[in-house]
Amino acid sequence: MICWERGMELRWFFLALLGCAGAESPSMFGEITSPNYPQAYPNNALTTWDIRVPEGYGIRLYFTHMDIELSEDCEYDALQVIIGKEVQKFFCGRHLFGSNGFPREKFYPTTHMKLLFKSDFSNQERYTGFAAYYVAADVDECNMHDPCSHFCNNYIGGFFCSCPPEYELQEDQITCGVNCSGGLYTDLRGQIRSPGYPSPYPENSRCEYRVLLESGYQVILSFKSEDFDVEATENGSCIYDSLMIKAKGQKFGPYCGKTPPPRIETGSNEVDIEFVTDSGGDNKGWKIYYSEDAIPCPTDVFHHSILNPQKRKYLFKDMITVKCEEGYELVSGKKRLPSFRAKCQGDGTWSNSNLRCQPVDCGDPEQLVNADVKFTQTTYGEKAVYKCKNEYYSLKGDDTYSCSGDGLWINSAQKTDLPKCAPVCGKTSFSLTSRIFGGEKAKNGYFPWLVLVDMTTNIGGGSLISDRWVVTAAHILKDHTTKPTLKVGDVNHQKGTTVHVKKVILHPEWAVDVDDRKNFNNDIALLQLERKIELGECICPICLPEKGETTHPAIEEVGVIAGWGEAFRVKDTNKIIRIATPNTLQYTRVPLQNLEECKKKVPETYTITSNMLCAGEKGHDSCPGDSGGPLMYQDPKNKDKKRFYIAGIVSWGLECGDFGMYTKVQNYVDWIEKTIEKVEEEEKDEEQLEPLKVCKKV
């Protein structure tokens, strides 16, 4: 029988036991005793009780008996009260209920606890343990943690919140707030106020307003300093209460404090206003003045566009014509448009604004023969720079081209004409300052334009005057149809590179098929090679004489001749004893003679004209096999650069070792240039072969 000190509690306790006896788990009450109670509890005991009561209740624990071996901190034997993972209380010792210091009962505000009883190896005094009851007791949530924003109402097993007049319980069933959402404003001008303004606005509220104007107008929001008072933190942060404006994907705010927001041009005819408050404060709120303005469209449709007509401001329904700035073009898919029409729309955007002005692309600059071109980009304003491959070519024309707004690469004169890498002529390592006695063997690089002309039955010489043309004597070629084989690139013609001829062009006034020739007037011909030759140190052209030049070469001026012809003759009783034809190119120095003096030494049966030059002296002359080769002089205007030009072509003579007659090239420069120009114009559309590489890098 349990003895209660308070009769009311005892009666209530038994009613609870009877009323809840049939309740399902979790239980409303229960009894717990130590093992073997009321006998002595065993040694090494370890027993656990799991106590659960329904939600909304706590656990009240009543002890009716307590007799557990006493030790410091209840180390030996003890009853533990465990909530969660923490031990809330240890019980041990012998207690008479009603004595000071022992809590006969204790309330635990939890729905779940564990009791754990343990004993050690010795219970010599036969301690009898404990007896207790637990009862589910109502929790007064209102007094414990004040869960409601306004009014808290407790009932057995739970609580509910309520609100003062004009407030409504929010979805969380805890917070009271004012229903201030749903305001729609469609007038062109008006005012919007926070709830109760100028009285303090309600706490725990979320107010939403919308301004919706006719398409083509934007909402303008303005504020006055006396009409803005929203709670803020000491550092000005808007984490307590805040005003936020949303329009056309933009956010303005949050705003709070006593400084009003600036005038806001929202750019949209639809504006949402959101006002959020927390549970504290007594600020008076705000007033917004809204008005309308026609929505402007941007002053450019997109980057690099030009609008016509041009205005400081474009408004709804304005029409314009759009084109691109210089260097840009309108692109729609794969089509290019000169311009298009656009309309300012109600949302402040232009129609057809999906088009774009893209930089004009000139494409890769055209490649040049014997040149490289460097560039990084091919769009408007970019540069392309041409440079010849090596020192044996010279760039004629501008080297820098710009990508124009028309999509063309143009030079400084706004022309598309490309430059050319023209061959550098007359470049040699030979110097006339060297003393020459008789014939000498040439070294590679001395006369890199010399060409051996092989007609099978006889040989001759020729001179490269460009990367595809050779000038020689007409008399060694016989006719137009006979094409010789050429050897180039080495002073030893046996080591030279074989080059084939595409076309033979004799001077039109050269007399063909003459048996006993005494007339060598117009003894000149051109050979077109099958393909161009890539110039280098072993092969490059000789210069042609300057047009109109009359002072050079002068009488007695020393020139040079070279060839693979007969090196010498040994005579005995007017008979040729030995003729030497060398493999290595021979050269010698010859002075220019007075043509009239030479004419006196020639039989009258021979024709001598102003198209001829006379050069040579005893022991220095050309011989058979040298015909077609050049009579060379150093350009007096380019002595520092050692440029040589061809003044004559070996034509005829009476005998070796005295003097010889040469075709005067200066008289034929026009014919040479016009003939080459005509042929190349006729063949401009033909596919060209890759230039032939003759020089080999060591």
Side-chain angles (χ1 to χ4, degrees), residues 195-403:
Y197 184 86
S199 298
Y201 52 79
E203 67 270 23
N204 299 313
S205 297
R206 183 185 188 90
C207 303
E208 295 179 347
Y209 311 89
R210 165 166 282 206
V211 181
L212 180 61
L213 303 183
E214 181 183 351
S215 178
Y217 291 98
Q218 67 167 327
V219 178
I220 307 295
L221 302 178
S222 57
F223 303 81
K224 294 181 180 180
S225 58
E226 65 270 20
D227 292 328
F228 194 82
D229 179 21
V230 177
E231 184 183 12
T233 63
E234 291 183 359
N235 62 7
S237 173
C238 299
I239 61 174
Y240 295 158
D241 302 339
S242 65
L243 178 67
M244 176 75 74
I245 313 295
K246 299 178 181 179
K248 200 178 181 179
Q250 298 183 81
K251 290 185 178 181
F252 304 89
Y255 301 109
C256 61
K258 295 185 180 296
T259 301
R263 182 176 184 270
I264 300 174
E265 294 188 10
T266 62
S268 174
N269 66 319
E270 298 183 27
V271 174
D272 291 308
I273 301 171
E274 183 180 278
F275 183 49
V276 178
T277 68
D278 66 0
S279 59
D282 59 354
N283 300 71
K284 69 178 184 179
W286 46 265
K287 183 195 295 185
I288 297 176
Y289 302 85
Y290 78 88
S291 59
E292 92 294 346
D293 188 16
I295 296 179
C297 281
T299 54
D300 63 340
V301 178
F302 35 70
H303 291 314
H304 307 293
S305 61
I306 299 175
L307 282 59
N308 185 31
Q310 292 187 350
K311 295 182 179 181
R312 295 180 61 185
K313 191 173 185 180
Y314 296 95
L315 301 177
F316 180 47
K317 297 183 180 179
D318 278 352
M319 294 293 297
I320 57 170
T321 299
V322 183
K323 65 178 182 179
C324 294
E325 295 175 355
E326 173 72 17
Y328 293 83
E329 58 186 352
L330 282 167
V331 178
S332 176
K334 296 183 178 180
K335 294 182 180 179
R336 287 170 171 77
L337 308 175
S339 63
F340 71 92
R341 296 281 287 170
K343 181 180 180 180
C344 182
Q345 302 176 119
D347 61 354
T349 62
W350 291 104
S351 61
N352 296 322
S353 59
N354 59 320
L355 299 175
R356 289 291 179 268
C357 281
Q358 297 181 359
V360 170
D361 195 326
C362 293
D364 289 352
E366 188 174 342
Q367 296 292 327
L368 291 182
V369 178
N370 303 316
D372 296 317
V373 58
K374 290 187 177 181
F375 61 96
T376 54
Q377 301 291 331
T378 61
T379 52
Y380 174 69
E382 295 293 332
K383 306 292 184 183
V385 179
Y386 288 95
K387 184 179 180 181
C388 294
K389 285 186 175 180
N390 56 46
E391 61 185 297
Y392 294 92
Y393 295 93
S394 175
L395 193 73
K396 304 299 181 184
D398 282 358
D399 63 344
T400 303
Y401 284 67
S402 302
C403 180

Side-chain angles (χ1 to χ4, degrees), residues 33-237:
T33 60
S34 58
N36 294 338
Y37 179 83
Q39 303 299 321
Y41 55 79
N43 296 330
N44 299 314
L46 182 63
T47 305
T48 302
W49 296 267
D50 192 55
I51 300 174
R52 296 177 184 270
V53 297
E55 291 293 332
Y57 291 85
I59 301 173
R60 189 180 298 276
L61 193 61
Y62 296 86
F63 287 96
T64 59
H65 181 78
M66 178 66 67
D67 183 24
I68 300 174
E69 182 181 4
L70 181 65
S71 61
E72 185 176 357
D73 295 330
C74 300
E75 180 181 359
Y76 298 155
D77 302 340
L79 174 67
Q80 299 178 9
V81 178
I82 303 171
I83 297 177
K85 294 184 179 180
E86 294 185 4
V87 177
Q88 300 291 319
K89 185 69 176 175
F90 291 92
F91 293 101
C92 64
R94 178 173 293 162
H95 298 279
L96 296 175
F97 294 106
S99 61
N100 294 331
F102 181 77
R104 182 176 181 181
E105 64 179 75
K106 184 173 178 59
F107 176 74
Y108 295 93
T110 179
T111 60
H112 179 209
M113 70 162 54
K114 287 184 180 181
L115 295 181
L116 185 149
F117 177 74
K118 67 176 182 176
S119 64
D120 63 6
F121 61 89
S122 171
N123 184 9
Q124 297 177 356
E125 296 187 19
R126 307 288 292 173
Y127 294 101
T128 58
F130 70 92
Y133 292 91
Y134 71 89
V135 177
D138 180 53
V139 176
D140 190 349
E141 292 89 351
C142 296
N143 288 330
M144 288 183 61
H145 50 77
D146 192 20
C148 300
S149 65
H150 284 74
F151 306 129
C152 182
N153 306 277
N154 187 66
Y155 61 87
I156 295 176
F159 72 97
F160 68 91
C161 300
S162 60
C163 303
E166 298 182 1
Y167 282 76
E168 292 181 359
L169 196 62
Q170 305 298 300
E171 290 184 3
D172 60 5
Q173 298 300 308
I174 292 175
T175 306
C176 292
V178 174
N179 183 10
C180 52
S181 297
L184 179 63
Y185 298 81
T186 58
D187 293 338
L188 293 180
R189 294 172 179 268
Q191 299 177 7
I192 306 172
R193 306 166 186 243
S194 58
Y197 184 86
S199 298
Y201 52 79
E203 67 270 23
N204 299 313
S205 297
R206 183 185 188 90
C207 303
E208 295 179 347
Y209 311 89
R210 165 166 282 206
V211 181
L212 180 61
L213 303 183
E214 181 183 351
S215 178
Y217 291 98
Q218 67 167 327
V219 178
I220 307 295
L221 302 178
S222 57
F223 303 81
K224 294 181 180 180
S225 58
E226 65 270 20
D227 292 328
F228 194 82
D229 179 21
V230 177
E231 184 183 12
T233 63
E234 291 183 359
N235 62 7
S237 173

Side-chain angles (χ1 to χ4, degrees), residues 370-662:
N370 303 316
D372 296 317
V373 58
K374 290 187 177 181
F375 61 96
T376 54
Q377 301 291 331
T378 61
T379 52
Y380 174 69
E382 295 293 332
K383 306 292 184 183
V385 179
Y386 288 95
K387 184 179 180 181
C388 294
K389 285 186 175 180
N390 56 46
E391 61 185 297
Y392 294 92
Y393 295 93
S394 175
L395 193 73
K396 304 299 181 184
D398 282 358
D399 63 344
T400 303
Y401 284 67
S402 302
C403 180
S404 72
D406 297 327
L408 302 173
W409 291 100
I410 58 174
N411 56 25
S412 59
Q414 310 299 305
K415 303 292 185 181
T416 58
D417 300 336
L418 292 176
K420 293 183 179 179
C421 278
V424 173
C425 64
K427 189 176 177 65
T428 178
S429 59
F430 173 74
S431 175
L432 268 179
T433 57
S434 302
R435 291 182 60 81
I436 303 171
F437 298 98
E440 292 287 341
K441 290 183 179 181
K443 296 181 180 179
N444 282 323
Y446 273 18
F447 313 108
W449 45 81
L450 252 295
V451 175
L452 179 85
V453 181
D454 187 355
M455 296 296 297
T456 305
T457 58
N458 63 295
I459 65 170
S463 303
L464 194 71
I465 56 173
S466 75
D467 55 4
R468 199 178 179 183
W469 291 88
V470 170
V471 64
T472 186
H475 76 269
I476 67 173
L477 300 172
K478 298 180 181 179
D479 55 41
H480 296 79
T481 59
T482 306
K483 295 179 182 179
T485 300
L486 309 183
K487 292 283 189 176
V488 301
D490 201 291
V491 292
N492 186 335
H493 66 80
Q494 292 184 335
K495 296 180 180 179
T497 301
T498 299
V499 178
H500 298 287
V501 173
K502 179 181 181 181
K503 190 174 291 186
V504 175
I505 303 175
L506 305 179
H507 191 276
E509 297 181 20
W510 167 254
V512 184
D513 298 331
V514 176
D515 292 333
D516 185 16
R517 184 176 293 279
K518 300 294 178 63
N519 183 357
F520 288 85
N521 194 31
N522 303 309
D523 188 10
I524 185 170
L526 291 171
L527 304 177
Q528 183 192 27
L529 310 184
E530 282 190 348
R531 58 199 292 189
K532 291 184 176 182
I533 293 177
E534 185 177 295
L535 304 181
E537 60 181 5
C538 75
I539 184 165
C540 70
I542 191 170
C543 302
L544 290 173
E546 186 177 343
K547 290 182 182 180
E549 175 62 57
T550 58
T551 58
H552 293 283
I555 303 301
E556 299 299 329
E557 185 177 347
V558 174
V560 180
I561 55 174
W564 287 275
E566 296 177 10
F568 57 86
R569 294 187 179 192
V570 178
K571 288 188 177 183
D572 184 15
T573 63
N574 295 325
K575 292 184 179 179
I576 299 174
I577 302 302
R578 184 171 62 164
I579 300 175
T581 303
N583 292 330
T584 302
L585 183 69
Q586 305 289 311
Y587 70 94
T588 189
R589 182 176 62 179
V590 293
L592 185 69
Q593 302 292 338
N594 187 297
L595 185 62
E596 292 301 321
E597 293 298 321
C598 292
K599 188 175 182 180
K600 295 176 183 179
K601 302 175 184 179
V602 176
E604 294 182 355
T605 55
Y606 285 85
T607 300
I608 296 179
T609 71
S610 59
N611 292 326
M612 301 176 186
L613 296 174
C614 179
E617 60 184 3
K618 287 291 184 181
H620 299 274
D621 189 17
S622 57
C623 288
D626 294 327
S627 293
L631 169 60
M632 302 165 279
Y633 286 87
Q634 188 167 336
D635 187 348
K637 297 179 182 178
N638 289 283
K639 287 185 178 180
D640 293 339
K641 295 183 179 180
K642 299 180 181 180
R643 295 281 190 266
F644 274 76
Y645 71 93
I646 177 171
I649 298 172
V650 178
S651 183
W652 62 279
L654 297 179
E655 63 178 8
C656 292
D658 193 354
F659 65 88
M661 304 301 292
Y662 299 82

Side-chain angles (χ1 to χ4, degrees), residues 4-37:
W4 297 91
E5 291 183 356
R6 291 171 294 185
M8 290 294 294
E9 291 183 356
L10 182 60
R11 287 195 297 271
W12 181 88
F13 176 69
F14 281 111
L15 288 173
L17 293 181
L18 293 172
C20 301
E24 296 181 357
S25 181
S27 177
M28 294 292 290
F29 63 91
E31 180 183 15
I32 300 170
T33 60
S34 58
N36 294 338
Y37 179 83

